[in-house]
């Protein structure tokens, strides 16, 4: 059952407040806010039911109620009038009031009935929001399904480059090691430039794979409370083009014209990427009946003093004037039955409006279709996240415990950081617990979030109970978290979490920074037996 609705009162006379509070005394209702009518804000967000003390003449009252209801469609407006209400009942209901109640002995009962309706409406609105979020997420996944072939192509290419380079390097090194000892140094010296070039290509290809995986993780994540961030539309276009891949690009000729400089806009993370993907997929569908060599899709960005504009167009059959007003309606589609949900453009408009933007369609039969998305330029730019300061290397050899079940990552980390730190590895939380039972002298513990026997959060909770002095030395790392509950639990630990793949230099700097913070914290702690006087 829904919680009690939030009830506001807007009164003309202070004595009205006393009468309403008295009417609510024997009910479960309570006023969240009461204020004079002339101080009522235009935006009633968070108010489920507004009670208005209205003694104006019918015409001014009707205009006021109409204005309030028009601006706040999710708020039930209950008008309280002097008896008999039949004199103004019809006019006020026509203006949008949910109910008209008399300031009389029946006020308690009337308010209870209105509150019950407000509670029911509150429940319906919440279910509608959840359904909209689920539909948006499903449509997002459907879009990824359309792009799957292109994504696999984009991942397979750099993966093939990495495997080919590494296999060649291994063969060449094996050949060199089979030579007589006196010839190895000369052979290695000749081989080094080629090896460095091949390894550089491997690193670049691996970064490319990591970028694609990161983009897919962000794009497919269902976020009920999205974080509002600063977004560069040009960057989002490049992200989507990476997702599209060559396989999808072969379906039509893509023309991309991006403004050289574009101010950032503000909105939920990855919303612009989803908007663009939906529009591109829609354009692909629109041109699918044409010969491939004739299909053309363009993406353009531009801006003026007020807006950043994203334009996606195609040279498909276009949309008739009768159909154009309905393209953003939920479940409306011109595709054959079973080939479309009719949600793509409806969700696209919803995402744009959540960013206080607008989307417009320009189309005519035989002239293709162009969608223009307008994002307002923020008046004050959002501050960018502060960069992590580099911590200078220390001559001290820190001890680090790496807890990760992956068969390759800990060994790679040991090769990369073994000269700077003393690294110990544990393949599971159970192995780490056994190791810590014998040795707790670690400066930093680097724990994977998802492991076969437990997750990193539960390991952290165990560590907090058994070895509380180590809890502030923990850093997490993860290849991706799909569980919202685990993500929230991870946030609650208040420990840093690194996303794989991890830059070795940044990791080394973070290890040193964490060790320094820990030592500074230990110096500030009072010795055992000391009691700070308050």
């Amino acid at each position: 059952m829904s919680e009690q609705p939030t009830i506001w009162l807007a009164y003309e006379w202070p004595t009205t407040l006393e009468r309403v509070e008295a009417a609510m005394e024997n009910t479960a209702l309570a006023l969240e806010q009461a204020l004079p009518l002339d101080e009522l804000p235009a935006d009633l967000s968070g108010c489920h039911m507004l009670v208005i003390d209205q003694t104006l003449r019918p015409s001014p009252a009707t205009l006021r109620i109409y204005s309030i209801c028009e601006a706040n469609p999710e708020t039930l407006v209950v008008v309280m009038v002097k008896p008999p209400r039949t004199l103004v009942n019809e006019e006020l209901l026509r203006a949008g009031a949910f109910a008209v109640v008399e300031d009389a002995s029946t006020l308690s009962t009337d308010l209870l009935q209105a509150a019950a309706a407000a509670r029911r409406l509150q429940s319906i609105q919440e279910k509608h929001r959840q359904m909209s979020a689920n539909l948006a997420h499903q449509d997002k996944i459907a879009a990824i399904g359309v792009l799957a072939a292109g994504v696999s192509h984009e991942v397979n290419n750099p993966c093939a480059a990495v495997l080919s380079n590494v296999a060649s390097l291994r063969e060449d090194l094996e050949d060199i090691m089979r030579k007589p000892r006196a010839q190895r140094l000369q052979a290695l010296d000749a081989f080094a430039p080629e090896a460095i070039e091949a390894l550089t290509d491997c690193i670049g290809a691996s970064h490319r794979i990591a970028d694609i995986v990161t983009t897919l993780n962000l794009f497919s994540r269902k976020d009920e409370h999205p974080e509002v961030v600063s977004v560069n539309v040009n960057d989002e276009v490049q992200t989507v083009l990476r997702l599209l891949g060559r396989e999808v690009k072969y379906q039509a000729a893509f023309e991309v014209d991006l403004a050289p400089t574009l101010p950032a806009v503000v909105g939920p993370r990855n919303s612009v990427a989803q908007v663009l993907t939906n529009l591109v997929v829609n354009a692909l569908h629109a041109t699918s009946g044409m010969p491939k060599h004739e299909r053309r899709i363009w993406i353009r960005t531009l801006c003026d003093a007020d807006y950043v504009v994203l334009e996606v167009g195609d040279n498909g059959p276009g949309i008739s004037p009768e159909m154009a007003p309905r393209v953003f309606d939920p479940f409306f589609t011109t595709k054959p039955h079973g080939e479309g949900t009719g949600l793509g453009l409806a969700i696209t408009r919803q995402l744009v409006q959540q960013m206080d933007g607008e989307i417009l369609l320009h189309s005519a039969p035989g002239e293709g279709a162009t969608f223009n998305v307008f994002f307002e330029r923020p008046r004050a730019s959002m501050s960018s996240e502060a960069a992590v300061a580099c911590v200078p290397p220390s001559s001290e050899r820190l001890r680090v415990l790496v807890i990760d079940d992956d068969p390759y990552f800990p060994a790679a980390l040991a090769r990369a950081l073994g000269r700077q730190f003393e690294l110990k590895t544990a393949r599971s939380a159970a192995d780490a617990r056994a190791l810590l039972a014998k040795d707790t002298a670690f400066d930093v513990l680097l724990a994977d979030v998802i492991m076969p026997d437990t997750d990193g959060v539960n390991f952290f909770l165990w560590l907090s109970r058994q070895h509380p002095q180590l809890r502030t030395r923990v850093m997490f790392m993860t290849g991706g978290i799909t569980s919202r509950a685990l993500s929230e639990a991870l946030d609650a630990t208040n420990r840093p979490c690194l996303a794989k793949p991890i830059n070795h230099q940044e990791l080394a700097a973070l290890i040193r920074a964490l060790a320094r913070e820990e030592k500074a914290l230990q110096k500030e702690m009072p010795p055992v037996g000391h009691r700070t006087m308050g």
Side-chain angles (χ1 to χ4, degrees):
M1 190 175 185
S2 302
E3 298 178 357
Q4 289 294 341
T6 300
I7 303 175
W8 290 14
L9 170 67
Y11 56 84
E12 286 193 87
W13 307 102
T15 53
T16 304
L17 173 59
E18 299 174 5
R19 292 197 300 277
V20 171
E21 288 179 335
M24 290 183 171
E25 278 186 0
N26 297 323
T27 70
L29 305 178
L31 288 175
E32 177 76 17
Q33 191 170 162
L35 65 170
L37 189 54
D38 57 2
E39 296 181 11
L40 185 68
D43 184 4
L44 300 180
S45 299
C47 173
H48 301 123
M49 176 174 140
L50 173 67
V51 181
I52 292 183
D53 170 26
Q54 188 60 264
T55 59
L56 293 175
R57 297 186 310 278
S59 294
T62 300
L63 291 174
R64 175 178 281 172
I65 298 304
Y66 177 83
S67 176
I68 293 173
C69 294
E70 186 72 13
N72 302 278
E74 293 193 353
T75 300
L76 288 186
V77 176
V78 178
V79 185
M80 187 171 66
V81 300
K82 296 294 182 182
R85 64 183 176 190
T86 52
L87 296 177
V88 292
N89 191 66
E90 185 175 344
E91 291 85 351
L92 294 174
L93 291 177
R94 190 181 295 118
F98 168 73
V100 180
V101 301
E102 294 181 347
D103 186 0
S105 58
T106 59
L107 184 58
S108 295
T109 302
D110 291 342
L111 290 176
L112 276 173
Q113 290 177 345
R119 185 166 57 248
R120 177 62 177 157
L121 179 62
Q122 179 187 353
S123 174
I124 292 172
Q125 289 169 346
E126 181 58 33
K127 289 178 181 177
H128 179 266
R129 280 189 285 269
Q130 292 176 358
M131 184 179 296
S132 296
N134 289 336
L135 288 173
H137 185 65
Q138 290 170 13
D139 197 71
K140 186 190 298 184
I141 298 301
I144 289 181
V146 173
L147 307 177
V151 171
S152 64
H153 188 285
E154 289 298 288
V155 171
N156 279 334
N157 274 350
C159 184
V162 171
L163 291 174
S164 177
N165 277 321
V166 171
S168 296
L169 287 172
R170 179 172 177 171
E171 290 175 5
D172 291 342
L173 282 172
E174 287 174 343
D175 288 343
I176 291 173
M177 295 308 294
R178 282 194 287 266
K179 294 180 180 293
R181 184 182 297 272
Q183 300 177 16
R184 290 179 191 171
L185 183 59
Q186 182 179 358
L188 284 171
D189 189 59
F191 170 67
E194 180 183 347
I196 291 173
E197 182 180 354
L199 289 172
T200 301
D201 289 345
C202 287
I203 293 171
S206 298
H207 281 308
R208 185 175 168 191
I209 295 171
D211 287 343
I212 294 170
V213 171
T214 299
T215 302
L216 282 173
N217 283 339
L218 286 172
F219 191 75
S220 61
R221 183 176 300 145
K222 181 180 178 182
D223 197 348
E224 297 174 1
H225 305 284
E227 177 189 5
V228 176
V229 297
S230 181
V231 179
N232 185 291
V233 176
N234 281 351
D235 291 345
E236 298 300 290
V237 172
Q238 298 295 349
T239 295
V240 171
L241 291 178
R242 283 200 302 269
L243 276 177
L244 288 172
R246 295 177 183 175
E247 294 295 331
V248 177
K249 290 179 184 178
Y250 287 150
Q251 297 183 31
F254 273 78
E255 301 171 10
V256 181
D257 181 14
L258 304 183
T261 58
L262 210 60
V265 299
V266 176
R269 188 184 301 277
N270 223 51
S271 285
V272 175
Q274 186 182 352
V275 166
L276 179 59
T277 302
N278 288 354
L279 292 177
V280 170
V281 170
N282 184 75
L284 286 169
H285 287 156
T287 57
S288 60
M290 302 168 57
K292 288 185 180 181
H293 68 278
E294 295 181 7
R295 301 174 191 171
R296 189 168 69 89
I297 296 173
W298 63 87
I299 301 172
R300 186 176 297 124
T301 61
L302 57 150
C303 67
D304 60 19
D306 299 312
Y307 295 98
V308 172
V309 183
L310 170 65
E311 179 180 300
V312 179
D314 65 75
N315 66 335
I319 301 171
S320 68
E322 296 79 18
M323 294 291 189
R326 301 184 57 196
V327 296
F328 295 111
D329 292 346
F331 305 108
F332 174 78
T333 179
T334 58
K335 302 170 191 172
H337 180 70
E339 294 187 13
T341 63
L343 291 172
L345 290 178
I347 290 169
T348 298
R349 183 171 66 172
Q350 180 182 351
L351 289 169
V352 171
Q353 290 176 343
Q354 285 176 354
M355 298 179 67
D356 295 325
E358 191 53 76
I359 179 170
L360 301 178
L361 166 66
H362 302 280
S363 182
E367 298 181 8
T370 300
F371 291 89
N372 290 107
V373 183
F374 295 84
F375 300 107
E376 284 192 20
R377 293 179 61 158
R379 300 306 173 202
S381 60
M382 298 182 64
S383 59
S384 59
E385 296 180 2
V388 178
C390 294
V391 180
S394 169
S395 58
E396 183 180 7
R397 190 170 171 80
L398 301 173
R399 300 188 76 224
V400 180
L401 174 60
V402 179
I403 310 159
D404 195 312
D405 63 294
D406 187 89
Y408 304 113
F409 179 75
L413 209 57
R415 283 192 289 270
L417 302 181
R419 295 179 182 177
Q420 303 180 53
F421 308 108
E422 181 185 340
L423 266 69
K424 295 286 186 181
T425 60
R427 292 291 301 276
S428 66
D431 289 348
R433 287 194 290 266
L435 192 155
L436 290 170
K438 303 174 183 177
D439 181 6
T440 60
F442 290 99
D443 298 288
V444 173
L445 288 80
L446 188 60
D448 195 18
V449 174
I450 299 176
M451 294 180 283
D453 54 343
T454 187
D455 57 64
V457 173
N458 279 319
F459 173 75
F460 176 80
L461 295 176
W462 171 85
L463 194 72
S464 300
R465 294 191 302 269
Q466 300 297 321
H467 305 286
Q469 76 280 10
L470 297 179
R471 69 187 310 275
T472 55
R473 306 180 190 183
V474 174
M475 282 197 298
F476 292 108
M477 55 186 175
T478 178
I481 302 174
T482 57
S483 165
R484 182 175 182 83
L486 179 57
S487 178
E488 291 175 348
L490 187 64
D491 290 341
T493 65
N494 199 30
R495 303 307 305 152
C497 183
L498 311 176
K500 296 179 181 177
I502 299 173
N503 181 286
H504 295 150
Q505 293 179 342
E506 291 179 4
L507 176 58
L510 288 170
I511 289 173
R512 295 190 186 99
L514 183 61
R516 292 190 179 197
E517 288 177 6
E518 175 66 16
K519 288 185 178 180
L521 182 64
Q522 294 298 325
K523 289 180 180 179
E524 294 175 2
M525 292 180 62
V528 177
H530 175 77
R531 184 172 64 184
T532 303
M533 301 299 292

